[in-house]
Each structure stands twice: as C-alpha cells, then as structure tokens.
Amino acid sequence: MLRIQWIDLLRGFCMIAILWFHTEMYYVGYDITPYAMYVGNVLAVFFFLSGYLLYHKDLIIKKRIYSIFRKLIIPYFFFTSIMAFPKALVYHNTDLFAIITDIIYGYASWFIAALIVSELMFIIILHYFKKHIIEIISITSIIMLILSYLIGNNYNPSCIHYEDNFWHINESLLGFFFLSFGYIFRHFENQFSHFQLKLLPILTILFIISKLIIYKTEGQFIFGPIVVSNYPLFVIDLIIGILLLVIIFKLLPPNYLIQWTGSHSIVYYFICGGVPLITSKLFNMFSFTFKGYFSIVIVFLVIYFISTIITWIIYKYLPVIIYSHSKQ
C-alpha cells in the first residue's frame, strides 16, 4: 500500500506532541501544558489510524498476524530491552528480574502492548465474522468500551477492576474502541468527505467547549494507564478531537519533516521516553534549568533532533528489526 500523505502528517504531529509532553515531564518535572488538553487525543489518533489502515475487503489473517509480529512485537522486545538498562541506571534500579518481568508482561511500554493486543483482537473478529462486519464491529466496540470502564479505569475502581493489567489489556479495550472507529470511518469515508468542510467549524467549537469543561472540572482524563473521572466526557472529547484532526490534516499541504516523523513514528515512540529523560538530565546538570517556555522550546528542539538522528540510524542499519517504512 502506498503511503497516504495526511496519515503521515497526522502521525508526525501526534508523535511530536508526545515528544513535547515527555520533554515537559522530564525537563520541568510536570506537565505545564495540561495532559488532558492534548495527550489523550493524540494517543487515541494512533489507535484510530491503525483501524483505518486495517480496512481491507480481503483479510488474510496469517499476513496480518505476521505484520503485527514484525512491526510491533519484535520492536517491542528489542527496544524495551535496550532502553531498560539506561533507565535502570538513571533511576538506580538494579533489580534485573523486575526489569525482565516488566518486559515479558508487557509493562515496559503500555501503548505498544495495548496496540498489539487490540489489533490482534480486531483481526480475529474480522476473520471470523465476515458478514455484517460493520454492525458486529460497532456492537463489539461498545462492549469493549464499557469493559474498559468497568475493569480498566483506575479512578474509583469497580469490583471487577483488573489490577494486574497483563499486557495492558485494560488500555487495549479502550484502544479497540478507537481502532474500530477508524475502521468504520474508512468504510464511510466517501460519504463523510462530502460534508467534512461544513463539520470543521462545528467540531472546532465542540472541541473548545469540551476542553473548557475538562479544564473547569479539574478531573482526571488519562488514557494510559486509564485514570478517568468522567468517562462519557473523556470519550466524547477524544472522538471530537479525532474527527477534527483528520479533517484538518487532510487539508494541509505536505511537510517532509513531519511526514518523515510520521512514517518512522514507531521508533520515535520507543525512544520518546529515554531520549528526553537523559537529555533533560544533562541540561539540568549543566545548569540549563527551566526558566520559562523559551528554555523548554530549546530543550525540545534538541530532543527532537537527537531522536530524529537515532531513528534515522536505526532504520538505516537495523532493517531486520524495523518493519519497512515504505509500507503504511
């Protein structure tokens, strides 16, 4: 499949937003730009785009499972193993067994673990339910969303809350909902495109309103691990945000750097914790401490540059680890 420009643009933007969040967290120590204002939205977009790209009339389950194995599972074990030890040194964690256990149990990267599980569940449903698939996916996604609230939400946990969260099954249930949303959107994309420009101002107003409500309520709206104080508002906000971003990025002109970031986002994601952590510590060590947004921008640009160089090196010299970026 040829690369789709707006998808790479949107992925790149979302990846840059994640890098910005980690820069704030490690360099400043807290999220100056509130997490609830954007982080959950860009994480939901990644699941949405995965579902969008899974849309295919002739599903071959073996090829899909192999694709997940190559593009997600192998990189997960490789990068979490490589990044675990520098992080352990920084945090003075010498418990080797705990490090290995976290990787095996899927705790080392919650987002990738949840994406793997949600994609596997999704393609199994696509394989076994070929008739009335849109209706089945719609119903299943609602069930998964309800389950994500009942067993996955860490805010006032229910009696069936799944605390162990093996391979981040809790977040994968929520991710499944947005993955399904992407698949269904692809199915009706042609109809949607006829009135998307009319929807743009409406969605913009709704998005601003939802963010104002979230800001005023001062609640918890964290995607992973799930800590959400108002689940309906949380889900509605993410849906509005996805549709708004999709429309905007379909209209934007090409941008090579952002598209390159988007097409290589899997590696960026694996290093988006380690690089900001180590770089921020070095800046603070040399007395370049937080003195306002200007200092954050400088640190972020350095982190983005370093992350891009590392990503380029990995794609060039470790192709056996990374699934070809020429494929969507």
Side-chain angles (χ1 to χ4, degrees), residues 47-285:
F47 284 100
F48 172 89
L49 292 177
S50 292
Y52 182 94
L53 294 170
L54 278 172
Y55 186 86
H56 200 282
K57 292 182 178 179
D58 300 315
L59 174 74
I60 302 174
I61 191 168
K62 289 183 179 179
K63 286 187 177 180
R64 290 294 188 185
I65 292 175
Y66 175 75
S67 175
I68 292 171
F69 181 75
R70 285 290 290 114
K71 74 178 182 180
L72 293 175
I73 296 175
I74 289 178
Y76 167 82
F77 282 104
F78 177 80
F79 285 106
T80 54
S81 299
I82 294 297
M83 296 301 297
F85 297 101
K87 286 182 180 180
L89 290 174
V90 170
Y91 288 117
H92 306 291
N93 178 15
T94 56
D95 190 344
L96 181 61
F97 179 76
I99 293 171
I100 294 172
T101 301
D102 280 350
I103 294 171
I104 293 173
Y105 288 1
Y107 300 148
S109 176
W110 79 262
F111 173 78
I112 301 297
L115 187 59
I116 290 169
V117 175
S118 60
E119 283 199 13
L120 285 172
M121 290 191 297
F122 195 82
I123 64 171
I124 289 171
I125 289 174
L126 290 180
H127 177 70
Y128 285 105
F129 299 94
K130 293 183 172 62
K131 293 183 179 180
H132 308 292
I133 190 63
I134 296 300
E135 292 84 353
I136 290 169
I137 287 175
S138 299
I139 295 169
T140 306
S141 67
I142 297 299
I143 294 171
M144 295 294 194
L145 180 63
I146 294 169
L147 285 174
S148 73
Y149 170 74
L150 292 175
I151 75 169
N153 193 1
N154 291 277
Y155 189 89
N156 291 333
S158 72
C159 60
I160 57 172
H161 174 63
Y162 182 41
E163 187 175 356
D164 290 341
N165 201 9
F166 180 74
W167 270 89
H168 283 277
I169 185 68
N170 297 344
E171 289 70 43
S172 72
L173 295 171
L174 180 58
F176 185 98
F177 174 80
F178 291 105
L179 207 143
S180 302
F181 182 32
Y183 188 93
I184 294 168
F185 177 88
R186 181 74 175 269
H187 183 79
F188 294 105
E189 186 174 16
N190 289 335
Q191 295 91 313
F192 178 81
S193 63
H194 294 313
F195 54 89
Q196 63 180 15
L197 289 179
K198 295 178 181 178
L199 274 178
L200 183 57
I202 298 171
L203 288 170
T204 302
I205 293 169
L206 290 175
F207 187 70
I208 293 170
I209 291 172
S210 70
K211 291 305 180 187
L212 286 173
I213 296 172
I214 288 171
Y215 181 76
K216 290 291 185 181
T217 57
E218 296 183 348
Q220 295 288 322
F221 296 89
I222 301 174
F223 196 114
I226 303 170
V227 184
V228 178
S229 54
N230 187 329
Y231 226 71
L233 176 59
F234 172 69
V235 174
I236 290 169
D237 174 74
L238 297 187
I239 291 173
I240 294 170
I242 288 170
L243 291 174
L244 180 61
L245 286 171
V246 167
I247 293 173
I248 290 172
F249 278 84
K250 280 190 170 189
L251 298 172
L252 290 179
N255 181 291
Y256 177 77
L257 178 59
I258 297 177
Q259 285 175 236
W260 194 91
T261 302
S263 63
H264 299 76
S265 58
I266 187 69
V267 173
Y268 274 99
Y269 191 87
F270 278 116
I271 64 175
C272 74
V275 173
L277 170 63
I278 295 169
T279 306
S280 297
K281 283 193 171 292
L282 289 173
F283 269 105
N284 285 311
M285 187 185 301

